[in-house]
Amino acid sequence: MLFEPRSGRLAAWGNALLAGLVSPDEAAMSIVDEDAVHRVAGLPGEDGPVGLTLALGRLRALGVTGLRVALPVPGHPLGLSGPPEFNARALEAEEAVVAVGASLGLVPEVSEAGPPGDVHVEVMWHCLPVREAPPADVPSLGEAERELAEGMREATVVLTRLDVAASGPAAEAALSAYRARAEAGQEALAPGYPARAVRVLALAQRVALLVSLAYERGHGGAVAASEMAARAEALRPVERVARRALVAAYNAAVEERERG
């Protein structure tokens, strides 16, 4: 499961830029984060791929007033509204950004380059037409927070029952990285987001981390395919709650602005 989707960073800092709360360069640097470079292909009015700063400016010129996140998986098109071509690309990437104010969406294609030990990540965002329709299954922030409270309890029960509590070297490393990021004061969301969204995002990320660790340990230690299938079936409802909450948190700035 995507713990910190690139579409989330693009939407959060893109929304801050569109609201006039950060500069284009600050937004672009925050979106790229630890990747080497981000570029955008297929933008109307551009002949080829362009840099992220120029792309954000172009989106604003095209009438984009906000950015929403989609985190779909097979059987759960969370945040999508069509058409089929865009949905298929988003499902393959398991994430996408959908513009508000223009019928456009962005899907990331991630690639690695460089020799062993010096690998860097490059991201190409593909801009595609989207259908103007309500996104699928996106909860409100309040609904997501209530679901998360139950989701944390359910995750604890499931992980205990499956005997995959977050322990061991891989789990400890992931948890340490999570704590270090929080302690370093790195912004979970961009300026302009309500405090409730920050709280929901942090909890959703923790649930997503626990689910990812359970999958990792389960697939590594399970002997039979039936055991892996049972593990996935048990974790699926918890994962769904976490993804819905991530989408609600990243979309909160747009939702709040639309409410006036």
Side-chain angles (χ1 to χ4, degrees), residues 21-256:
L21 300 175
V22 298
S23 69
D25 287 342
E26 183 181 358
M29 287 178 59
S30 299
I31 293 165
V32 171
D33 196 37
E34 297 180 358
D35 296 333
V37 64
H38 284 219
R39 294 174 66 76
V40 181
L43 271 173
E46 299 293 342
D47 294 330
V50 299
L52 194 54
T53 302
L54 177 59
L56 291 170
R58 171 63 69 182
L59 288 171
R60 180 161 52 186
L62 289 168
V64 173
T65 59
L67 298 171
R68 287 192 172 100
V69 170
L71 296 179
V73 295
H76 188 205
L78 177 62
L80 297 180
S81 59
E85 180 186 357
F86 180 79
N87 286 4
R89 294 288 291 266
L91 276 166
E92 183 179 359
E94 295 189 0
E95 62 174 315
V97 172
V98 179
V100 178
S103 301
L104 298 171
L106 299 161
V107 180
E109 180 183 359
V110 182
S111 59
E112 295 183 347
D118 189 27
V119 175
H120 61 274
V121 175
E122 299 178 354
V123 180
M124 181 68 75
W125 293 90
H126 296 277
C127 185
L128 301 165
V130 298
R131 180 181 299 139
E132 290 189 31
D137 197 36
V138 175
S140 68
L141 199 56
E143 183 182 358
E145 190 170 33
R146 290 190 295 273
E147 288 181 359
L148 273 175
E150 178 61 31
M152 278 296 289
R153 291 191 291 270
E154 187 174 344
T156 302
V157 172
V158 170
L159 294 174
T160 301
R161 174 161 52 86
L162 295 174
D163 194 26
V164 288
S167 60
E172 287 303 320
L175 287 170
S176 295
Y178 176 83
R179 295 189 191 102
R181 186 175 180 85
E183 291 170 0
Q186 291 178 281
E187 291 184 86
L189 284 169
Y193 276 80
R196 190 179 198 181
V198 176
R199 184 170 67 247
V200 167
L201 180 65
L203 185 54
Q205 287 179 329
R206 181 165 180 80
V207 173
L209 176 61
L210 291 173
V211 169
S212 297
L213 293 174
Y215 274 126
E216 180 182 336
R217 295 197 65 212
H219 290 187
V223 176
S226 59
E227 184 180 345
M228 288 192 292
R231 190 182 303 277
E233 185 67 25
L235 290 168
R236 192 170 293 117
V238 181
E239 180 184 16
R240 185 186 184 102
V241 165
R243 284 190 299 108
R244 279 168 52 85
L246 288 171
V247 168
Y250 285 121
N251 292 358
V254 173
E255 303 300 334
E256 188 170 84

